[in-house]
Amino acid sequence: MAKKTDIPIKDLVSMIQHGELRLPEMQRRYVWTSTRVRDLLDSLYRGYPSGSILVWETDLEQPVRDLAVSQSDTPFSTYKLLLDGQQRLTSLSAVIRGEPVMVKNRQRPIDIAFNLDHPEGSPVELMEVEDDEESPMIKADETQEEDAETAERQDSVIERLNKRTFAVAFRNLLAQPNWVSVTEVFNGQKSDWELLKDLVGTPDNAKFKFYSDRLQRLRNICQYSYVMHVLGRDLSYEEVAEIFVRVNSLGAKLRGSDLALAQVTAKWRNSLKLFEEFAEECEEQQFTIDVGLLVRLMVVFATKQCQFKTVSSIPLPTMQESWEKAKEGMRYAINFLRANADIEDESLLSSPYFIIPIATYGILKDGKISPADETAMLRWLYVANAKAHYSGSSESKLDYDVGLLFKGNSFDALIEPLHQRYGRLHVEAGDFAGRDPRNALFSLAYLALKHSGAKDWRTGLGLSLTHQGKLHYIEYHHIFPKSLLQKAGYEKAEINEIANMAFISGRANRGISNKEPKDYFPGIIKERTENALSSQYISLDKEMWEVTAYPHFLQYRRQELAKAVNEFIESACKAGRATTLASKAA
């Protein structure tokens, strides 16, 4: 049923550029990180196997979409739809053509650097396995680290990268004569001499041919041939969708929501456009919502449970009716999160699944939420979010919670499972020990400090994730700089603990640079008064501003943050008939 042919990468990239190879509606978005692209190039450079490509050739009009790189319209009546290989081919097209990729409606360049002096033989450093954990919602104090790190540290980073063949490019790396941009090698705008002159000095250098050969070996990646499996034109869209689901299920390469989306679009043509348009509507409200979450919410209203096992059996009219409920439920949930819970965007949630019970309840109650309902929703949201309730076997927990709501229970019913699972629901100082910004408590600490009136140490602006201008973006800042604590012999877990974090702007961050608290705190107090520190629950005891007193500083601030978090929850949950969370737990 499927033909096989070998096709080089350069031809595949050309097909993408000229619109001859597109995506069917069932395909997921581009999701690869730059490190994944780096490792793909490394594998191809070494001649390692790189899988195959699956396409469907059809001359029938089908719902299609562009890849995440720019494509022109094809004059041909037939085209090939890419079913397996999107991430690889999009990445290669972006690097070879020097085109940015579209990720969540934003253009992102992919710049990979090639080490002309790379070691021969097998990789010296093994490929990193990426963590499934989401990155924290507030950016780290990267500016502080970049400005404060010494030349010695910069040199050590580049020394480590010199053991690699490829690396994600950055300015200081490309300033080294042995590193060149992969895109510049491929686009042909620079000759070998222009790429190598800073490294060899003269064309007569014996090393010139050695490096030229390596550049040619890199260019030869374009000649690497993928085995392309081509499904015939006699297949229907529904049958191709089933093949797509089976192929991608076997290797678990796609999420369940991606496979469910394929089944939905096979039954409901052009529905992906509706989902993506609504996702853009949510983006306008500062919430980046994955299409997969929208599909799951639609399934919730169609089947009164959240799992995708039965999605293929949902009748089309039920899908369409449930989609209308999903949209209204999502609008309600976003409004509630922003206006009632002070959740400015989805990054303050330890899982996007928290949106689903709120959206479900909003529709089940026809939008008529009592003060008691509001209190229960807030109490559940803050505590469950801090406990990372939807981590691990998240789908089963979500299914249980949604089932309680469809049984006619009030939102209070979702609180009791939290008691059973976690015991106490209030926060204690020990909960912060060894916890870094990836921990779910981090967002609750941010909300508590924002509630207490914490402000930026330079501008006096209150905390917000929506400030305009790059220099006003809120970052988390190491109160005691990492490099100073490292020199003092503290462990990584202690250095990166939440209790060592303050929330300030990028401009304030740069101003502090690598200074010790005893050196920069007096200036902050002079400019912004002692409240600048106390509102972030930092001790005013000057003895605690010394690096030698760091353990005492952590102990004090853990206690203060726990107090702040519990007071924040108590204050937020005063509406209606609710008692405070802390008193109930006690």
Side-chain angles (χ1 to χ4, degrees), residues 190-198 200-204 208 212:
K190 288 186 177 181
S191 65
D192 284 6
W193 167 242
E194 290 174 299
L195 291 169
L196 299 175
K197 61 182 179 180
D198 291 338
V200 300
T202 170
D204 297 329
F208 181 74
S212 293

Side-chain angles (χ1 to χ4, degrees), residues 374-416:
E374 177 192 357
T375 296
M377 292 164 74
L378 288 172
R379 183 171 26 167
W380 170 82
L381 174 65
Y382 291 137
V383 174
N385 193 37
K387 300 288 186 180
H389 178 56
Y390 290 131
S391 62
S393 55
S394 54
E395 190 174 279
S396 60
K397 295 174 192 172
L398 178 62
D399 195 51
Y400 181 79
D401 291 343
V402 166
L404 289 176
L405 298 179
F406 273 105
K407 289 175 183 176
N409 291 286
S410 70
F411 220 92
D412 267 326
L414 273 61
I415 302 291
E416 186 55 35

Side-chain angles (χ1 to χ4, degrees), residues 278-515:
F278 185 73
E280 290 177 8
E281 177 187 319
C282 296
E283 184 77 40
E284 292 172 0
Q285 300 302 315
Q286 309 300 323
F287 271 73
T288 301
I289 303 297
D290 187 79
V291 167
L293 191 73
L294 297 177
V295 172
R296 192 179 294 277
L297 186 56
M298 181 184 73
V299 170
V300 165
F301 288 115
T303 63
K304 298 184 180 180
Q305 56 86 50
C306 75
Q307 300 186 40
F308 290 130
K309 295 177 182 178
T310 61
V311 67
S312 61
S313 63
I314 301 173
L316 178 57
T318 302
M319 277 187 190
Q320 294 170 329
E321 179 184 351
S322 300
W323 171 237
E324 295 303 315
K325 292 180 180 179
K327 286 192 296 183
E328 288 308 306
M330 184 61 69
R331 290 181 181 121
Y332 173 81
I334 290 175
N335 290 334
F336 179 87
L337 289 167
R338 295 189 66 195
N340 295 53
D342 205 20
I343 303 289
E344 296 170 288
D345 65 36
E346 81 294 337
S347 65
L348 287 168
L349 299 172
S350 56
S351 168
Y353 280 3
F354 284 103
I355 298 173
I356 288 182
I358 296 173
T360 300
Y361 199 62
I363 294 299
L364 293 177
K365 298 288 286 187
D366 195 24
K368 298 175 182 177
I369 304 297
S370 69
D373 285 332
E374 177 192 357
T375 296
M377 292 164 74
L378 288 172
R379 183 171 26 167
W380 170 82
L381 174 65
Y382 291 137
V383 174
N385 193 37
K387 300 288 186 180
H389 178 56
Y390 290 131
S391 62
S393 55
S394 54
E395 190 174 279
S396 60
K397 295 174 192 172
L398 178 62
D399 195 51
Y400 181 79
D401 291 343
V402 166
L404 289 176
L405 298 179
F406 273 105
K407 289 175 183 176
N409 291 286
S410 70
F411 220 92
D412 267 326
L414 273 61
I415 302 291
E416 186 55 35
L418 297 182
H419 275 291
Q420 294 174 357
R421 181 175 181 81
Y422 305 109
R424 62 176 171 83
L425 299 186
H426 62 283
V427 176
E428 295 181 350
D431 296 338
F432 287 98
R435 308 296 187 187
D436 67 19
R438 293 175 299 176
N439 187 270
L441 268 175
F442 188 58
S443 63
L444 197 57
Y446 167 80
L447 291 172
L449 267 60
K450 181 180 179 183
H451 177 75
S452 72
K455 295 179 180 178
D456 176 45
W457 288 341
R458 187 181 191 280
T459 64
L461 291 172
L463 301 186
S464 175
L465 301 185
T466 61
H467 285 326
Q468 299 299 305
K470 185 176 181 180
L471 293 178
H472 295 296
Y473 291 165
I474 295 298
E475 301 175 346
Y476 63 86
H477 152 78
H478 285 74
I479 299 168
F480 284 79
K482 287 195 285 186
S483 57
L484 296 182
L485 293 176
Q486 287 168 346
K487 288 179 182 177
Y490 289 101
E491 297 293 330
K492 182 178 179 181
E494 294 175 289
I495 295 171
N496 294 323
E497 195 173 299
I498 295 172
N500 190 31
M501 304 298 168
F503 300 99
I504 59 176
S505 68
R507 180 175 292 179
N509 224 343
R510 268 188 283 277
I512 293 169
S513 188
N514 206 33
K515 299 172 186 173

Side-chain angles (χ1 to χ4, degrees), residues 11-23 64-67 69-76 78-81 97:
D11 291 349
L12 289 166
V13 170
S14 177
M15 290 172 67
I16 291 171
Q17 183 175 2
H18 295 104
E20 300 167 38
L21 190 61
R22 293 190 182 274
L23 295 177
V64 299
R65 57 192 306 203
D66 285 346
L67 281 83
V69 288
S70 62
Q71 295 187 267
S72 58
D73 292 329
T74 176
F76 303 107
T78 63
Y79 42 80
K80 293 178 175 63
L81 301 184
R97 296 166 54 197

Side-chain angles (χ1 to χ4, degrees), residues 36-205:
R36 294 287 298 274
V37 183
R38 173 202 67 194
D39 294 334
L40 172 64
L41 287 171
D42 191 82
S43 294
L44 293 172
Y45 183 76
R46 297 173 186 277
Y48 292 172
S50 181
S52 59
I53 304 296
L54 177 64
V55 301
W56 175 36
E57 188 173 34
T58 178
D59 51 9
L60 299 176
E61 186 174 346
Q62 303 291 349
V64 299
R65 57 192 306 203
D66 285 346
L67 281 83
V69 288
S70 62
Q71 295 187 267
S72 58
D73 292 329
T74 176
F76 303 107
S77 58
T78 63
Y79 42 80
K80 293 178 175 63
L81 301 184
L82 185 59
L83 300 175
D84 187 32
Q86 178 204 169
Q87 306 297 320
R88 286 168 290 160
L89 295 189
T90 301
S91 301
L92 291 168
S93 183
V95 171
I96 292 171
R97 296 166 54 197
E99 288 276 341
V101 294
M102 289 294 296
V103 180
K104 294 185 178 180
N105 298 320
R106 296 184 179 90
Q107 285 195 332
R108 175 170 65 82
I110 298 179
D111 196 4
I112 306 299
F114 174 66
N115 181 12
L116 290 157
D117 266 329
H118 68 79
E120 287 288 2
S122 60
V124 176
E125 292 193 14
L126 299 180
M127 175 179 162
E128 302 108 334
V129 177
E130 296 184 357
D131 201 328
D132 289 337
E133 195 166 14
E134 294 290 333
S135 58
M137 79 294 179
I138 300 170
K139 293 181 179 179
D141 46 358
E142 294 169 352
T143 52
Q144 177 196 17
E145 294 304 316
E146 182 178 335
D147 292 345
E149 294 299 344
T150 62
E152 180 183 355
R153 176 170 168 78
Q154 285 290 335
D155 289 345
S156 68
V157 171
I158 292 174
E159 183 180 346
R160 180 177 62 83
L161 291 177
N162 279 338
K163 298 176 183 178
R164 289 184 171 274
T165 305
F166 294 90
V168 178
F170 57 93
R171 186 178 62 248
N172 289 349
L173 185 66
L174 289 176
Q176 307 302 310
N178 60 306
W179 286 92
V180 294
S181 167
V182 168
T183 296
E184 287 190 348
V185 176
F186 279 121
N187 65 25
Q189 294 179 7
K190 288 186 177 181
S191 65
D192 284 6
W193 167 242
E194 290 174 299
L195 291 169
L196 299 175
K197 61 182 179 180
D198 291 338
L199 185 59
V200 300
T202 170
D204 297 329
N205 189 317

